[in-house]
Amino acid sequence: MKKNISLALTLVILTACHKEAPIPSLEERYEKYFPIGAAVGQKQLQGLDSALLIHHFSSLTAENDMKVSRTIKSMQEFSFTAGEHLVDFAERHGMQMRGHTLVWYHQTPGWFYRDSLGHYLSKEQLLQRMRWYIHQVLDHYRGRVYAWDVVNEAIADGSAMFYRQNIDWYRVCGQEYIKKAFVYAHEADPTIKLFYNDYDLINPVKRDKVYKMVKKMIDEGIPIHGIGMQGHWTLEDVNEQNLSAAIDLFASLGVEVQITELDISVYPYYHNMDRSTLPKEVKPYTPELAKQLADKYEEVFQVLRKKSEKITGVTFWGVTDKKTWLSNYVVKGRTDYPLLFDSLYQPKEAFWKVVEFVE
Ligand code: G3I
């Protein structure tokens, strides 16, 4: 039903393959396991990116276009155009649409927390503004976005602090902003699935904090339906044991588990690290590196298939290595190769390891 794709692009997909058979579709290969998604921006809804999206993915996330900074320009001006392009594309091609994200300390403009004189709002005022914002956004996308990352990255790294405290949401509202966001989202639209989303959840310290927070929310009757494990792993951190343990623990709460931002960096672990100390040298993409990445993806997807009854979605944070936040953000200018398709839109060895498995 969704394969509305031009002949030229189809040919590119079918011939951009070193093997003789056509390239299998990720989404079809994983149909009986879970939807496969990709996070993109509106500029990727054309050309080869869109061809790959249509062929391989059954779910779409806005990498940036539904964040607060892109959605609201001032108290008088919302800007839904970019997000709408994504939703339109998803609908045209029979894809699910995930919303990302309603409440995050990052990519939220400074004025959002302040009054017209530049003074911080009171806790009550900020919670009211949050409620108003969530209602506006969920009203706008009603019936078109099936799940939202309601709160993103509220838990601190390491063991010194439980919540991330050096952010405006916490400074003004304390930890209560987290629960309130879910309550407001549910009252705005009780039909959508509400996720808490965070990174490094294979790390037992952070994993257990998220477990504890979500358990408490469930015990208190807060409407929360899922935990998004972002992914953003590296060759050295994710493995069969820590991934399985995290999925099992979160699923034991009775909530959905999704991998929401999957990519695997070929550089060392970088979460909670001083970025100036991270290696700056660009690794060449050698056959050895390609194999290491492929083996790691194989290990990850073996776990995901095995645990598929507990998983309701796996979304890659991007489509090809040509456009990945990892090539510019963690270390400026450093090229990374974290996805299944290379910068020339060709499937990598990792792709084949993900699609070629024995049932
Ligand atoms: O669009 C502007 C462009 O006009 C300007 O010229 C350029 C100059 O720097 O910036 C562009 O905006 C950048 C935007 O990405 C689009 O490329 C922002 O500076 C940059 O900060 C922004 O980075 C995004 C990052 O979130 C911000 O924290 C990444 O694309 C996006 O992949 C990343 O996504 C996050 C998830 O939302 C949450 N989990 C972690 C994940 C990775 O950091």
Side-chain angles (χ1 to χ4, degrees):
M1 108 186 202
K2 60 174 267 191
K3 303 298 174 191
N4 169 18
I5 181 171
S6 81
L7 181 60
L9 293 179
T10 308
L11 285 175
V12 170
I13 290 167
L14 295 182
T15 55
C17 168
H18 300 299
K19 307 208 170 190
E20 276 158 26
I23 297 181
S25 150
L26 277 170
E27 78 156 291
E28 282 170 15
R29 200 69 188 97
Y30 278 84
E31 199 170 7
K32 73 175 207 200
Y33 296 97
F34 33 70
I36 299 277
V40 293
Q42 59 166 341
K43 290 184 188 147
Q44 287 162 281
L45 303 180
Q46 54 199 331
L48 294 180
D49 282 297
S50 84
L52 288 181
L53 283 173
I54 294 165
H55 186 61
H56 289 288
F57 298 94
S58 52
S59 177
L60 211 61
T61 300
E63 182 179 0
N64 289 297
D65 290 331
M66 290 185 177
K67 289 174 179 172
V68 182
S69 59
R70 295 275 171 96
T71 303
I72 186 168
K73 299 295 169 205
S74 70
M75 289 299 284
Q76 289 74 39
E77 194 193 347
F78 276 82
S79 146
F80 290 112
T81 316
E84 274 171 7
H85 284 150
L86 293 164
V87 179
D88 290 344
F89 183 91
E91 287 176 350
R92 257 199 324 278
H93 299 291
M95 304 163 98
Q96 295 182 321
M97 187 76 215
R98 288 192 93 256
H100 175 83
T101 171
L102 293 170
V103 175
W104 190 22
Y105 70 92
H106 203 46
Q107 289 180 288
T108 299
W111 63 260
F112 193 91
Y113 309 94
R114 295 165 187 268
D115 65 19
S116 54
L117 298 173
H119 301 130
Y120 273 114
L121 299 174
S122 68
K123 175 177 174 179
E124 287 65 35
Q125 287 169 329
L126 183 55
L127 289 176
Q128 270 316 100
R129 185 168 288 185
M130 177 212 269
R131 178 170 184 266
W132 169 79
Y133 175 81
I134 289 176
H135 273 258
Q136 296 288 319
V137 174
L138 296 197
D139 276 352
H140 188 86
Y141 290 115
R142 189 174 300 280
R144 308 183 74 193
V145 175
Y146 85 100
W148 272 92
D149 294 326
V150 176
V151 176
N152 196 43
E153 301 173 12
I155 295 291
D157 294 316
S159 46
M161 272 191 291
F162 193 92
Y163 294 104
R164 200 183 276 273
Q165 294 184 8
N166 55 348
I167 58 172
D168 283 339
W169 283 115
Y170 192 94
R171 276 191 209 106
V172 179
C173 303
Q175 66 193 60
E176 206 181 332
Y177 81 91
I178 303 169
K179 291 179 198 168
K180 289 289 190 196
F182 282 87
V183 170
Y184 299 153
H186 190 65
E187 73 181 20
D189 188 345
T191 67
I192 51 177
K193 294 184 175 175
L194 307 179
F195 279 74
Y196 175 73
N197 193 50
D198 214 329
Y199 62 84
D200 204 19
L201 300 189
I202 51 172
N203 174 335
V205 174
K206 199 154 174 192
R207 178 195 73 194
D208 291 352
K209 288 199 280 187
V210 168
Y211 172 84
K212 214 165 152 185
M213 177 186 75
V214 174
K215 179 165 189 331
K216 192 153 175 282
M217 288 167 74
I218 293 169
D219 292 345
E220 291 173 7
I222 304 295
I224 177 166
H225 311 117
I227 296 176
M229 298 176 63
Q230 290 186 4
H232 300 308
W233 294 314
T234 70
L235 289 177
E236 66 186 31
D237 63 357
V238 67
N239 60 49
E240 197 258 328
Q241 290 76 23
N242 58 26
L243 180 55
S244 300
I247 294 168
D248 289 344
L249 185 69
F250 294 148
S252 74
L253 289 167
V255 295
E256 294 187 18
V257 178
Q258 294 195 356
I259 311 299
T260 52
E261 305 186 14
L262 178 56
D263 48 27
I264 300 181
S265 173
V266 303
Y267 295 99
Y269 181 86
Y270 56 89
H271 296 300
N272 196 23
M273 304 286 283
D274 173 358
R275 292 188 179 179
S276 65
T277 65
L278 295 172
K280 295 188 173 40
E281 303 73 43
V282 176
K283 285 189 186 183
Y285 191 63
T286 59
E288 292 71 33
L289 193 59
K291 181 168 184 333
Q292 277 178 46
L293 186 73
D295 290 346
K296 192 47 84 178
Y297 263 112
E298 182 178 35
E299 186 179 353
V300 165
F301 272 83
Q302 270 168 0
V303 174
L304 298 181
R305 287 194 300 273
K306 199 164 144 201
K307 307 273 174 203
S308 64
E309 283 178 7
K310 301 175 177 176
I311 296 172
T312 57
V314 174
T315 291
F316 288 86
W317 206 242
V319 181
T320 74
D321 291 346
K322 186 173 178 190
K323 187 181 179 307
T324 160
W325 74 288
L326 284 167
S327 279
N328 203 33
Y329 197 73
V330 181
V331 174
K332 204 154 183 52
R334 191 178 68 181
T335 306
D336 209 334
Y337 319 93
L339 295 163
L340 298 187
F341 299 91
D342 69 19
S343 54
L344 298 173
Y345 296 83
Q346 303 295 311
K348 294 156 68 178
E349 192 176 337
F351 171 86
W352 294 105
K353 283 286 176 72
V354 169
V355 295
E356 289 181 339
F357 56 88
V358 182
E359 303 271 353

